Amino acid sequence: MTIYLYTALKQDGSNELVKGKVEATDVRSARQAVRDLGLLATNIVEEDAVVTTTKKASVKKAGKMPKLGLAEQIDFTSTMQILSAAGIPIIESLMFIETDSAKLRIRQVASELRRQIMNGGTFAGTVAKYPEQFGQVYIGLVKAGEDYGELEKTLDRLLELLNKQAAIRSKVTGTLMYPVFVILLAGFIIIVMLVFVFPVFKDMFDSMGMQLPWITRTLMSAGLFMKKNWLGIPLVIAAISFFISFLFKWKPSRWKIDALALKIPVISDLLQYSHFANFISVMQVAYDAGVPILECLTLSNLTLTNHTLETRVVEATAKVRQGQHLSAALRSTRTMPKMILFMIATGEQSGRLGDMLGQAVSYIDKQLDGIIDVMTKMIEPIMLVVIGSIVLVLAAALYLPLFASYMGM
């Protein structure tokens, strides 16, 4: 029996990293022993190998590595998959990327990975040292592919998964860019009008000697105050931006926002389908790679950024661990679309869960396209109403005193 050192993730939803030792005959048995402890292994090495490596003065510590964006991960994984399919060894593949990649950060990543693998590491084990750069989903799938001798297929599945995530992000970002741009433009116009236009009319309104409407008085006072204290405008904008950012980062407020967002019509559908698109995609890739269903759920849950959805899936994972069927456990979350649950249940009963997960991914993509199309059509008239209302208020504030003056003549 050999002693293996492991690094693993807790599967209780905390995603906390733990380290320990197990005795096993080989790496696969050691990984199974870690699974039996209720953990998801991210790195397993022989204790003797670690001791020997530590004693070697020539071996360097894990170097710094830049974080890859989604597009850069796609480029890196695509090149690795192509070279792996051509039968080129990992070391030579990384050397090619290090030499010929057009992006500096990708070359730096390839260089660091190659250096550590040449010092005796494995590709999956080295990637596992950089969870911030690659993410736990990437690490878990590469590890599974290497353990089951299907690294080439796993890289192909990973590439498909990354492309799908990029497509979903592009759709959601494209939908939100228009309203965000309009809101920023409206804010800029309001500031310009208050600071530069309204003060110009002050002397004319004062010469009329009449009581100004409340809306004119309010906006005039705001404009004069902002003109006198114009240095405070950037500070106020920065403070508001910081406050909004804080609300989305501070856990108690973010959790409440996550829960509230799931109650807003259309927005709720967009959030659910965009989250579960990634969730089901990761589950399909992991399941096809031979990862046990509990580990599939753990890896899939890492893609959920909405706290409410994440908590409910953690509860479903606990029910699966207790012996409940996957479809029944996910049904208890009360958030996953019924059609997806039906497909998963059908896959479980027919023994074709992988195929049905693929069908579920296609179904989600179509639904997400429909929801984004509806939101795009809704946003345009809403933005017209918002801009029209702003113009109406500003025009009313300027012209109501003039109309009152003409009526009094």
Side-chain angles (χ1 to χ4, degrees):
M1 299 287 282
T2 306
I3 297 178
Y4 289 88
L5 303 178
Y6 68 83
T7 303
L9 284 170
K10 287 186 177 181
Q11 300 190 63
D12 57 1
S14 64
N15 295 327
E16 179 184 349
L17 278 175
V18 295
K19 296 181 179 180
K21 300 179 181 180
V22 292
E23 288 190 16
T25 55
D26 53 29
V27 174
R28 181 168 294 186
S29 300
R31 181 168 295 278
Q32 184 59 49
V34 174
R35 289 194 191 114
D36 293 340
L37 295 174
L39 302 172
L40 174 58
T42 60
N43 188 33
I44 293 181
V45 293
E46 289 186 28
E47 185 178 41
D48 292 341
V50 173
V51 173
T52 302
T53 303
T54 304
K55 290 180 179 179
K56 291 181 179 179
S58 60
V59 177
K60 300 179 182 178
K61 294 182 179 179
K64 292 183 178 180
M65 184 182 292
K67 186 174 182 179
L68 297 179
L70 183 56
E72 291 168 329
Q73 280 195 19
I74 291 173
D75 288 345
F76 175 79
T77 307
S78 175
T79 306
M80 288 296 296
Q81 188 274 329
I82 292 171
L83 296 176
S84 178
I88 298 174
I90 291 290
I91 294 291
E92 294 182 20
S93 299
L94 290 172
M95 188 175 296
F96 171 81
I97 296 173
E98 180 184 351
T99 305
D100 295 322
S101 177
K103 297 181 180 179
L104 175 61
R105 285 194 289 187
I106 295 179
R107 294 199 301 270
Q108 291 173 336
V109 167
S111 175
E112 183 61 27
L113 292 176
R114 180 186 61 80
R115 183 185 68 79
Q116 294 197 43
I117 292 174
M118 288 181 68
N119 286 331
T122 63
F123 179 64
T126 306
V127 168
K129 297 178 182 179
Y130 301 97
E132 292 185 1
Q133 282 77 7
F134 291 95
Q136 294 294 351
V137 172
Y138 195 105
I139 292 170
L141 294 179
V142 169
K143 192 67 178 175
E146 196 168 79
D147 286 350
Y148 288 93
E150 294 186 344
L151 183 58
E152 176 190 333
K153 292 182 180 179
T154 301
L155 288 173
D156 188 39
R157 297 183 185 115
L158 256 177
L159 182 60
E160 183 180 351
L161 175 63
L162 292 171
N163 282 321
K164 189 173 293 295
Q165 290 178 345
I168 293 171
R169 181 179 296 182
S170 177
K171 290 176 184 177
V172 175
T173 303
T175 303
L176 298 178
M177 277 184 64
Y178 176 66
V180 170
F181 173 76
V182 170
I183 291 171
L184 292 176
L185 180 62
F188 175 75
I189 292 173
I190 290 172
I191 291 175
V192 170
M193 289 289 293
L194 292 178
V195 174
F196 297 102
V197 178
F198 274 83
V200 173
F201 284 82
K202 183 179 185 303
D203 293 335
M204 183 179 68
F205 290 154
D206 289 343
S207 65
M208 292 180 182
M210 58 179 293
Q211 179 69 25
L212 296 176
W214 68 269
I215 187 172
T216 306
R217 295 197 307 271
T218 302
L219 295 182
M220 187 71 69
S221 299
L224 292 171
F225 177 81
M226 293 172 69
K227 188 173 183 179
K228 291 180 181 178
N229 303 277
W230 61 272
L231 287 174
I233 295 177
L235 295 177
V236 171
I237 294 175
I240 293 173
S241 301
F242 175 79
F243 178 71
I244 293 174
S245 175
F246 174 77
L247 286 179
F248 279 91
K249 290 181 179 179
W250 189 44
K251 286 186 177 181
S253 59
R254 181 169 60 84
W255 292 351
K256 290 183 179 180
I257 292 172
D258 287 345
L260 179 63
L262 292 174
K263 298 178 182 179
I264 303 175
V266 183
I267 297 293
S268 173
D269 291 338
L270 177 65
L271 288 174
Q272 288 185 35
Y273 278 102
S274 60
H275 277 77
F276 284 123
N278 288 328
F279 181 89
I280 298 297
S281 296
V282 171
M283 181 172 287
Q284 181 204 7
V285 170
Y287 186 82
D288 287 344
V291 178
I293 196 66
L294 276 172
E295 293 186 18
C296 289
L297 278 170
T298 301
L299 290 173
S300 300
N301 201 26
L302 293 173
T303 66
L304 300 177
T305 57
N306 184 285
H307 176 71
T308 302
L309 295 178
E310 182 184 2
T311 302
R312 292 179 181 178
V313 172
V314 168
E315 294 172 355
T317 304
K319 293 179 180 179
V320 173
R321 188 177 291 109
Q322 294 169 2
Q324 197 170 86
H325 287 294
L326 175 63
S327 56
L330 292 176
R331 190 180 300 276
S332 66
T333 63
R334 304 183 305 280
T335 52
M336 188 169 287
K338 294 182 179 179
M339 178 61 76
I340 300 175
L341 293 171
F342 177 72
M343 290 180 176
I344 293 175
T346 303
E348 285 182 310
Q349 294 172 5
S350 62
R352 297 171 55 245
L353 182 58
D355 293 338
M356 295 310 297
L357 287 173
Q359 293 295 324
V361 170
S362 300
Y363 169 78
I364 292 175
D365 287 344
K366 292 178 182 178
Q367 293 298 312
L368 193 57
D369 287 340
I371 292 169
I372 290 175
D373 186 52
V374 170
M375 286 193 66
T376 303
K377 292 178 180 178
M378 289 176 58
I379 285 172
E380 292 180 1
I382 291 174
M383 290 297 102
L384 287 175
V385 171
V386 170
I387 295 297
S389 301
I390 293 172
V391 172
L392 178 63
V393 170
L394 295 175
L398 288 175
Y399 288 104
L400 279 178
L402 297 177
F403 291 154
S405 175
Y406 293 147
M407 293 294 292
M409 288 183 178

